Amino acid sequence: MSSNSEKNEKSLAEFVVIVVLVGVLMSVFIIYYIKQEAQFSTAGFSSLAQNFTTKVSTVHAQWLMDKQPRVIELASINKAEKQLITVNKKGWIDVNNGPLVCERIWQIVMESPLSLMKQSIAAIEVRNFSAQPSQHVSLVCRYTLPNGTYFDYNRFNGRVSTVITGDSLE
């Protein structure tokens, strides 16, 4: 009987050691994840900006090939039917002025909600007024994360800026 109780004590000790090791490994992983979460978010947002740039360039190229129509037809990523995309006179993705212009442009380009890794992406319309009334107003859509990371889309010339982190602004 004593050998049976020794086996129970030994297996209980082994079980406790395994639980402690798993707990330590999980805590190390959680600490690492928390430290790297901002980098994961920035890398994911950078990838989104790259996808945004690719779609804008694709639409512009299609506009040039289709002899510059006001509406471009593209195969949609998430739907079976073709996606109709409105462009401005220069062939860049744009929508008629109205409420939530930048959010509507995001929906056209990305075909997904304004979010990344459970973080909301804010869509802000930035207007740069020219000193001379005869010149155009630069209309820029800024897509930003709560940590300050953002990229801009210029509706006039189609330029998508590089991702800038809030940390590099300090």
Side-chain angles (χ1 to χ4, degrees):
M1 290 271 183
S2 67
S3 74
N4 196 17
S5 72
E6 286 178 18
K7 286 182 182 180
N8 285 343
E9 287 177 16
K10 186 177 180 183
S11 65
L12 180 63
E14 290 172 347
F15 178 74
V16 169
V17 168
I18 290 172
V19 168
V20 168
L21 284 174
V22 168
V24 167
L25 289 174
M26 286 187 67
S27 66
V28 167
F29 173 76
I30 289 170
I31 290 169
Y32 176 78
Y33 179 79
I34 290 171
K35 286 181 180 179
Q36 302 301 321
E37 188 174 13
Q39 289 180 351
F40 295 151
S41 178
T42 300
F45 196 65
S46 177
S47 176
L48 276 178
Q50 197 65 27
N51 291 343
F52 194 97
T53 303
T54 301
K55 179 81 175 261
V56 167
S57 297
T58 301
V59 168
H60 188 68
Q62 188 68 43
W63 176 78
L64 291 170
M65 289 188 294
D66 288 348
K67 300 179 183 169
Q68 305 174 354
R70 290 287 292 153
V71 177
I72 303 295
E73 284 187 33
L74 282 182
S76 180
I77 296 171
N78 300 327
K79 302 172 190 166
E81 69 269 2
K82 289 192 175 197
Q83 182 184 17
L84 299 176
I85 301 172
T86 57
V87 295
N88 59 24
K89 293 177 184 177
K90 300 211 180 240
W92 300 108
I93 298 174
D94 206 349
V95 296
N96 296 332
N97 288 333
L100 307 174
V101 170
C102 293
E103 286 183 29
R104 291 187 350 223
I105 290 173
W106 177 275
Q107 291 302 321
I108 290 168
V109 174
M110 301 304 288
E111 300 182 68
S112 67
L114 276 161
S115 65
L116 171 71
M117 296 173 54
K118 298 183 182 180
Q119 294 184 52
S120 293
I121 299 171
I124 303 165
E125 188 174 352
V126 179
R127 293 179 181 242
N128 298 323
F129 294 99
S130 175
Q132 298 179 2
S134 64
Q135 292 183 346
H136 72 278
V137 175
S138 175
L139 300 172
V140 175
C141 289
R142 176 166 289 169
Y143 301 103
T144 182
L145 289 176
N147 69 0
T149 303
Y150 70 91
F151 71 90
D152 292 339
Y153 168 62
N154 188 317
R155 295 165 44 198
F156 182 73
N157 62 18
R159 185 174 298 138
V160 178
S161 70
T162 57
V163 176
I164 301 170
T165 63
D167 298 334
S168 66
L169 296 175
E170 295 174 355

